[in-house]
Amino acid sequence: MAVGQKALPVLHPVAGIRLGATAAGIRKKDRRDLVIIECAPGTLAAATFTKNRFCAAPVTVARQHLAKLTPRALLVNTGFANAGTGTPGLEDALASCEALAKHLHCNSEEILPFSTGVIGERLPLERLLAGLPACVANLSENGWGEAAHGIMTTDTLPKGCSRKIKIGSHAVTITGIAKGAGMIRPDMATMLAFVATDAVVSATALQDCVYLAVNQSFNRITVDGDTSTNDACVLLATGAAGNPVIDRTVGEAYTKFRDGLTEVFTELSQAIVRDAEGATKFITIEVMGGRSESDCLVVAYTIAHSPLVKTAFFASDPNWGRILAAIGRAPIEHLEVDKVAIYLNDLCVVRHGAPDNGYNEAKGLAEMRLAEIRIGVELGVGGCSAQIWTSDLSHDYVRINAEYRT
Amino acid sequence: MAVGQKALPVLHPVAGIRLGATAAGIRKKDRRDLVIIECAPGTLAAATFTKNRFCAAPVTVARQHLAKLTPRALLVNTGFANAGTGTPGLEDALASCEALAKHLHCNSEEILPFSTGVIGERLPLERLLAGLPACVANLSENGWGEAAHGIMTTDTLPKGCSRKIKIGSHAVTITGIAKGAGMIRPDMATMLAFVATDAVVSATALQDCVYLAVNQSFNRITVDGDTSTNDACVLLATGAAGNPVIDRTVGEAYTKFRDGLTEVFTELSQAIVRDAEGATKFITIEVMGGRSESDCLVVAYTIAHSPLVKTAFFASDPNWGRILAAIGRAPIEHLEVDKVAIYLNDLCVVRHGAPDNGYNEAKGLAEMRLAEIRIGVELGVGGCSAQIWTSDLSHDYVRINAEYRT
């Protein structure tokens, strides 16, 4: 069940980008599991990758290829993550790039590979390669929806977001897709997310925008605290919109583009949390009044990762003592317990470190029964704040992850 | 279900210690929920308490009382933790001490209060006070078993351990009880554990021994990573055994006593993990070859707190990729992925950062099906090691914690 997530919205085509998807039978039959995102010559790319030191073979290869050439295509498979596979895994990733390069008549270093799925098992390379011709044949500017389906794993719904903004007199499109739904706690990186724009943007401005937008979106979500070996977020800019180049020196255009991008990233990252494994609640945690943004984030993540807080939300139980206990064990220096306040949506539960006089169980229950809940924490020791999004811990989370490989 | 936990063993009386338990109806009816541990005049006490900054009112009071006088009695209630209760909570804790002091004809600062249960709700002080006479009337040197039952909350079995050791020609007894079973990640402190000995030990040696033993036992377990607001471990030494005083300068006797104590603490702390909420597996995580003990502990706890690792163990699924991913995201500096090895019991799963040639799924499954499993991790970058104990994440964990207050 995806909390408050709508059906896939209209995903506007981005001039210069074609997408194809096919069911190659990589791990399961009759399920789209292979996606190609092709981009026109001259497309710029900016990306962030997982900081997990056991990063997957495709992450290593994509990073290397990106450093050498601008990409002509992204190749994505689900089913197997090609992580923890050693040298053979690297060879598999390289071989898949070479095969697609032949189909597209380009250099294999112009292909960026991405994988997601089971860690520690080899890619079934033959099945992947056999699926390429059909996938190439499907390439279409209108392929965003198919591709959004094609990158799903335990996701229950495809995730996409699209915006049209004006840069001067030019209409610019930003369209992206993403997948979840477990092993989610992007660490200065993201889950698999592919976003494209036809805006003309300088390479440095593009990378800047990705970092800034990722930091406010994909780096602000957690499902289970488990940073994946395969996280990647790629932004492609085809330049087909013909607007004057957006650079960091061009104030208004840069801000407008960055804000539009952040909006798309945020909606995609929230979609991942809404459709988190077993999620029945979409929880926003906002920590205010901290001595630093970092302190606020530490408190927010300590709450978000507490299995006791997460099960209480699953049960719609206003057991705020668990939130208080999580704050109390958060490893930050500047915490004064008698200044702490806790809110459920707009309801004050704790003030000055003790139950608020106006609070009662019935009021707490009314807030906890909602599907979307904001936990507000006021630390009262500074002027910084931070906000993250997370989900609850349900029976289905355990079931999905206990049965994951069966 | 408690993994590999036997029925309560024989708990030898400790001369100078009497225990009483009663059902005072504090939160549920017909359930022992009030315990007194009385000690003879002159008994020394050493203790460690939670580092959660929202520490409970009884923790604050016990700490203050302990700093002033040696205790005459410990007063323990379950049902309500008296944490997050502000000034009224402190008053309740003090009032309970005063009431018991009247019954025992001692100073109220000679009483140490302890509470465990729901956070954020007031103690039903009247019911607690009404239960005191029956509890005092029950006081007996043979009351250890009753007391072990009396401090249980979500525990399915009472937890106790007892050892007799020889200090020179003197027989010395060490007996203790503990409770779990959730919100368990003691942080330089412990869950509720009460241990007594009749050994003659100097005050400094006693405190030393508690720190050393706690550090190898209660501080090496985690169920859910949630450090409680009420953790406390108290060691009482009545001195009734009449042995020559054990001090840090008396080498052999000190070592023998410390080792005996560590054994009792370790068995109690493991009992907490064996009976962790919903546990079906008892997991030992041993990390070796680290640059520091602290690095090894960080890696061990990152694995132990991963919901994905925990659900894989619940499913008996040898999905070692999740262990590898947890190691890869552990926040330590000295990690070289191509030196990492992973073992399930004696089975090598990963060597040099990639699947071991001798490994296959059937072998992995055979190890994962056992109820007691050791995860061995070799980092290969140093000579330090550390070991912790944890449990799996099951449907019952979610059920127990979703229904906790109902």
Side-chain angles (χ1 to χ4, degrees), chain A residues 53 329 332 361 405, chain B residues 53 226 329 332 361 405:
Chain A
R53 259 89 61 95
R329 72 176 167 87
I332 64 168
E361 185 87 359
R405 302 202 310 160
Chain B
R53 258 91 58 98
D226 274 307
R329 73 176 166 88
I332 64 169
E361 184 87 359
R405 300 201 311 162

Side-chain angles (χ1 to χ4, degrees), chain A residues 59-228:
Chain A
V59 169
T60 302
V61 172
R63 223 194 292 260
Q64 287 169 353
H65 286 187
L66 200 55
K68 287 184 183 170
L69 296 171
T70 56
R72 288 300 314 283
L74 280 47
L75 175 60
V76 193
N77 75 272
T78 66
F80 296 94
N82 195 7
T85 46
T87 308
L90 279 171
E91 290 166 359
D92 291 342
L94 288 168
S96 69
C97 292
E98 276 158 27
L100 180 57
K102 271 185 195 149
H103 286 286
L104 299 181
H105 311 292
C106 67
N107 188 316
S108 74
E109 292 179 336
E110 290 173 311
I111 309 292
L112 306 182
F114 301 89
S115 300
T116 177
V118 176
I119 296 171
E121 295 178 36
R122 291 278 297 274
L123 269 185
L125 192 60
E126 279 187 24
R127 293 204 289 276
L128 188 155
L129 300 188
L132 287 178
C135 206
V136 170
N138 284 339
L139 285 172
S140 153
E141 282 212 338
N142 295 311
W144 284 98
E146 282 292 299
H149 277 97
I151 62 174
M152 289 167 62
T153 51
T154 52
D155 308 69
T156 68
L157 283 174
K159 295 158 187 69
C161 181
S162 197
R163 289 283 185 285
K164 280 186 175 290
I165 58 176
K166 277 265 183 191
I167 300 288
S169 61
H170 293 76
V172 161
T173 302
I174 305 172
T175 298
I177 55 174
K179 65 152 299 250
M183 201 175 263
I184 302 283
R185 195 262 159 108
D187 176 21
M188 307 316 288
T190 82
M191 275 314 300
L192 289 189
F194 305 104
V195 180
T197 178
D198 50 5
V200 183
V201 193
S202 77
T204 49
L206 201 66
Q207 189 65 58
D208 266 18
C209 286
V210 167
Y211 278 129
L212 289 168
V214 161
N215 210 33
Q216 295 304 318
S217 56
F218 294 105
N219 279 351
R220 291 292 178 271
I221 63 173
T222 186
V223 171
D224 43 24
D226 274 306
T227 304
S228 153

Side-chain angles (χ1 to χ4, degrees), chain B residues 181-245:
Chain B
M183 201 175 265
I184 301 283
R185 197 265 159 108
D187 175 21
M188 308 314 289
T190 81
M191 273 316 299
L192 288 188
F194 305 104
V195 180
T197 179
D198 50 6
V200 183
V201 194
S202 77
T204 50
L206 200 68
Q207 188 65 56
D208 266 19
C209 285
V210 167
Y211 277 128
L212 290 167
V214 161
N215 210 32
Q216 296 304 317
S217 55
F218 294 106
N219 278 350
R220 291 291 178 272
I221 63 173
T222 185
V223 170
D224 44 24
D226 274 307
T227 304
S228 152
T229 47
N230 291 56
D231 291 349
C233 170
V234 181
L235 172 64
L236 301 169
T238 65
N243 56 286
V245 62

